[in-house]
Amino acid sequence: MQTTLNVKGMTCGHCESAVKGALEEIKGVSKVKVHLDSGKVDVKYKEGKVSLEDMREAIEDQGYDVES
Amino acid sequence: MQTTLNVKGMTCGHCESAVKGALEEIKGVSKVKVHLDSGKVDVKYKEGKVSLEDMREAIEDQGYDVES
């Protein structure tokens, strides 16, 4: 499965690393690509193993907002 | 001694931490205050123990520019 999240507040490479790292730590997430300029984050994941809510929480824990 | 450096490119709290941490690691630097909005970084240091060039290098190593 693949989804694209809209994340607000990422401004620099550190932000990119924080979001990418938090998502990659989730079991079931296999690939993360952050587009800093647009705020879009592409995530490849195993359906049933991880929910969009898990991803949202991981990102918000880093201090960023996810647009629904 | 106290100086204020003008640092370009700091955009978020991670940037602030990166610059502050790099400066605080230098022997002779006793206090660092980063003003994200203005890009100004106040540094208290022991004269003779650390040079402005040392500070500039530490900041540039983190990927930011120091205006002279």
Side-chain angles (χ1 to χ4, degrees), chain A residues 11-12 14-15 18 62 64, chain B residues 11-12 14-15 18 62 64:
Chain A
T11 54
C12 73
H14 297 116
C15 297
Q62 296 297 319
Y64 305 93
Chain B
T11 54
C12 74
H14 296 117
C15 296
Q62 295 298 318
Y64 304 94

Side-chain angles (χ1 to χ4, degrees), chain B residues 6-7 19 22 34 47 49-50 54 56 59-60 65 67:
Chain B
N6 288 300
V7 181
V19 169
V34 176
E47 210 182 349
K49 268 226 154 187
V50 52
D54 294 334
R56 172 189 291 268
I59 293 170
E60 289 181 346
D65 288 328
E67 286 178 336

